[in-house]
Amino acid sequence: MRDPTSFLGQEYRELVDAATDWKLRVLEGPSTPWCEIDGRRVLMLCSNNYLGLSNHPKLREAAIAAIRTHGVGSGSVRPIAGTMDLHMELERRLARFKRAEASLVYQSGFATNAGLIPQLVGEGDLVISDELNHGSIIDGVRLARAERAVYHHADPTDLDRVLVGAEAHAPAYRRILIITDGVFSMDGDIAPLDRIAALGHDHGAMVYVDDAHGEGVLGPDGRGIVAHFGLGRDRVQVEMGTFSKAFGVVGGHISGSRDLVNFAYNKSRTWLLSGSHPPPVAAACLAAIDVLEQEGEHVRRLWDHTRRFKAALRDLGYDIGVSATPITPVIVGDSHRAKALSDALLDLGLFALPIVHPMVAKDKARIRTIMNAALTDEDVGFAITAFEKAGRSLKLI
Ligand code: PMP
């Protein structure tokens, strides 16, 4: 009999041969700037823990205290018996932080996009997506029964073309949803959300922004891209984000009108059918909001380090693309070159992972660095020197 699982090993070997397989590196201990990975002490430059909050004492203490008062699990999905006072408080505090009428917390950012997008649009509707949107948006869009259109990356002129075409559609679309990343996770560029929101307004379309990489980074107190552009809730109806990046914990969320939140928690299948956050997670997320509101130095230091690091890499002759945020891609060409650079950096004590096809185009393989506020000035100097040494030895610069 033929082995019905033979494709598993075969497809895996194809990935290995193309150097596009993931090699897991194991962190022994916390995700701090200097950490132990596979037995080696290295400087971490690829974590999403932008502000170092995953080890902030206030978050750690809040999590421990919540275990003492509430235990380690919520016992249920939110709509049945898994809504605790901590979840409600987190949503109230998040809405206040985001200056929104209401917020809703999901289990993850992925669960948010996969659970909400297919409810916002369905048959007879159109969803219009930036061509470089995150995979969780792409999957959310695939789950929707709506028609789909894609516009050129961060290009309002092309979006306008799609919207004008949509107006001529017969029968008229019931609803139109424009959806974009706030900060694009592979390139670090910022979506022109002000212009996208204006187009949405002009054409009667809803606007949904995934600000996973913008919150904790952009806007006053790191409130995110909507605050960065000073946009009203009537222009950006769904502000989506995650607690897994700058907030340092885990969990997705949306902010917007009370109607949006009431709609979302009654309809999102990922929210309705999957267990809610354990108490220590909800408590740590709450503490992260406190830290963002009270300790502005983390966001300031993140940007100081980012400016210095970008300028140094550019001076060294690296192609760092079009990033305007702490995500700095170092684009080197094919996947083999990216892996060679990543290995050379690791030998020098710097941990920065290569990003290769299919996550980015075949000839745009890169090392994606993410700056972190918890680095010292010396650490940033160390990272720059490592890129200089590794780049010269591989003749990339
Ligand atoms: N959206 C974007 C833009 C992301 O980068 C990510 C995380 N990679 C997500 C959504 C998913 O968030 P989470 O990790 O909370 O599932």
Side-chain angles (χ1 to χ4, degrees), residues 108-110 113 134 136 181 183 185 210 212-213 240 242 244-245 251-252:
S108 73
F110 202 118
N113 286 333
H134 188 255
S136 58
D181 275 22
V183 172
S185 52
D210 173 339
H213 290 277
M240 175 269 166
T242 173
S244 73
K245 303 193 191 298

Side-chain angles (χ1 to χ4, degrees), residues 11-249:
E11 289 191 20
Y12 173 65
R13 277 189 299 280
E14 282 167 17
L15 294 174
V16 174
D17 291 346
T20 54
D21 60 312
W22 283 100
K23 296 194 179 52
L24 298 186
R25 314 239 196 225
V26 180
L27 265 170
E28 289 142 29
S31 174
T32 43
W34 285 97
C35 55
E36 291 275 324
I37 291 186
D38 294 335
R40 209 182 313 196
R41 188 165 179 271
V42 292
L43 183 67
M44 164 83 82
L45 208 65
C46 54
S47 139
N48 293 317
N49 180 22
Y50 288 97
L51 303 175
L53 297 196
S54 65
N55 288 288
H56 192 293
K58 284 187 185 161
L59 276 74
R60 295 172 81 121
E61 288 310 315
I64 292 165
I67 290 177
R68 295 218 170 87
T69 56
H70 289 68
V72 295
S74 72
S76 178
V77 295
R78 287 281 303 271
I80 298 182
T83 294
M84 292 174 153
D85 49 357
L86 286 168
H87 299 116
M88 298 309 288
E89 175 65 2
L90 177 57
E91 287 169 349
R92 265 194 301 274
R93 288 293 312 282
L94 183 63
R96 198 176 84 187
F97 179 69
K98 293 279 185 182
R99 310 288 194 266
E101 215 170 86
S103 294
L104 185 67
V105 172
Y106 286 72
Q107 298 83 350
S108 73
F110 202 118
T112 311
N113 286 333
L116 182 56
I117 297 168
Q119 301 302 329
L120 291 173
V121 280
E123 244 164 78
D125 301 334
L126 176 68
V127 54
I128 310 175
S129 191
D130 184 293
E131 66 181 328
L132 294 188
N133 275 345
H134 188 255
S136 58
I137 297 179
I138 294 172
D139 282 16
V141 169
R142 281 186 186 143
L143 286 171
R145 295 221 183 96
E147 283 182 41
R148 300 162 201 166
V150 170
Y151 63 94
H152 296 158
H153 174 55
D155 183 350
T157 308
D158 197 47
L159 173 60
D160 190 40
R161 174 190 63 78
V162 177
L163 284 163
V164 169
E167 267 175 7
H169 188 266
Y173 289 114
R174 205 173 51 134
R175 302 176 202 148
I176 298 176
L177 175 69
I178 303 167
I179 184 158
T180 180
D181 275 22
V183 172
F184 288 86
S185 52
M186 293 300 144
D187 291 287
D189 53 328
I190 302 173
L193 191 64
D194 49 347
R195 297 179 61 197
I196 292 170
L199 286 171
H201 182 74
D202 291 349
H203 292 271
M206 295 178 280
V207 175
Y208 181 130
V209 65
D210 173 339
D211 203 26
H213 290 277
E215 41 185 30
V217 174
L218 298 177
D221 294 336
R223 288 210 308 272
I225 192 166
V226 173
H228 168 82
F229 282 112
L231 296 167
R233 298 279 158 202
D234 58 330
R235 298 297 161 107
V236 179
Q237 289 83 2
V238 187
E239 180 177 1
M240 175 269 166
T242 173
F243 290 112
S244 73
K245 303 193 191 298
F247 285 86
V249 198

Side-chain angles (χ1 to χ4, degrees), residues 242-263:
T242 173
F243 290 112
S244 73
K245 303 193 191 298
F247 285 86
V249 198
V250 75
H253 53 83
I254 53 165
S255 297
S257 67
R258 170 58 58 193
D259 282 346
L260 169 74
V261 166
N262 287 341
F263 172 93

